[in-house]
Amino acid sequence: AQSVTQLDSQVPVFEEAPVELRCNYSSSVSVYLFWYVQYPNQGLQLLLKYLSGSTLVKGINGFEAEFNKSQTSFHLRKPSVHISDTAEYFCAVSDFRDDKIIFGKGTRLHILP
Amino acid sequence: GAGVSQSPSNKVTEKGKDVELRCDPISGHTALYWYRQSLGQGLEFLIYFQGNSAPDKSGLPSDRFSAERTGGSVSTLTIQRTQQEDSAVYLCASSLIVGAQGETQYFGPGTRLLVL
């Protein structure tokens, strides 16, 4: 079965600094990978996803993620964060065998002024 | 068009009472998912529907939890004899195509359940 690990429950970062949110997954087959974002008092929305092809995926709001099969990782990055990026970020995985999507426990991004 | 809607947005109930949570998916979406979000626990998968059938009920935490979907649209999650540990935000999501992997899920705003 698949699993997702987000090692950092909270990440503080200064405004305009770069950020990386880590995600590692476990699966014995090819996977599809997602990052969802939940802004305060809002529902989850898709930030970006990897299905196949280029391992560097660009999403909304200047975020990008890189699929690394050898390291079973899908870390999320942004070169310069803004106060509006304050949110909780969830990494998720699914594969062709199952319609379920397994979510990580989330990483809360705190932007410091 | 309208997104996924859930009702009620908030529900406070007494321990031992039954509650019903409702989800209206995006029109035309054949797949519907229920998750539970507890503080510090991320999103816990509960159940999903392909049309009106639920192929996988393994995520339901106990036999007090049940869900149904009628007409390939609205779904109801029922929790019987609620316990304090059932307090959480219950999220519903839908996606367009049944069985197609990699589909984007569209989430509702959730129902915040508090069991006193």
Side-chain angles (χ1 to χ4, degrees), chain A residues 21-91:
Chain A
L21 305 183
R22 296 180 294 169
C23 172
N24 287 88
Y25 68 92
S26 172
S27 176
S28 58
V29 298
S30 296
V31 296
Y32 307 104
L33 294 156
F34 309 79
W35 277 99
Y36 282 83
V37 59
Q38 187 175 32
Y39 296 106
N41 301 314
Q42 294 187 30
L44 276 82
Q45 59 182 282
L46 182 71
L47 199 55
L48 50 80
K49 64 181 178 181
Y50 169 79
L51 302 182
S52 65
S54 172
T55 57
L56 184 63
V57 181
K58 294 189 183 296
I60 61 172
N61 300 337
F63 283 92
E64 63 181 32
E66 186 157 19
F67 170 56
N68 188 320
K69 187 174 182 179
S70 63
Q71 297 187 3
T72 60
S73 67
F74 191 56
H75 301 332
L76 181 70
R77 302 185 182 100
K78 186 169 182 178
S80 175
V81 296
H82 188 267
I83 194 75
S84 61
D85 294 322
T86 298
E88 190 156 18
Y89 294 79
F90 293 91
C91 183

Side-chain angles (χ1 to χ4, degrees), chain B residues 7-71:
Chain B
S7 61
S9 54
N10 290 281
K11 176 72 176 179
V12 181
T13 190
E14 293 179 347
K15 177 181 173 181
K17 300 279 190 182
D18 298 351
V19 295
E20 281 190 356
L21 312 180
R22 176 187 167 107
C23 172
D24 282 273
I26 293 173
S27 177
H29 279 196
T30 51
L32 185 148
Y33 300 78
W34 282 99
Y35 296 91
R36 180 167 68 176
Q37 185 177 22
S38 305
L39 191 63
Q41 296 300 312
L43 271 73
E44 176 187 1
F45 168 81
L46 298 179
I47 190 170
Y48 80 95
F49 289 89
Q50 289 183 358
N52 290 335
S53 65
D56 185 350
K57 300 181 180 180
S58 63
L60 295 175
S62 77
D63 58 8
R64 296 185 295 105
F65 287 72
S66 63
E68 64 176 15
R69 189 179 186 195
T70 55

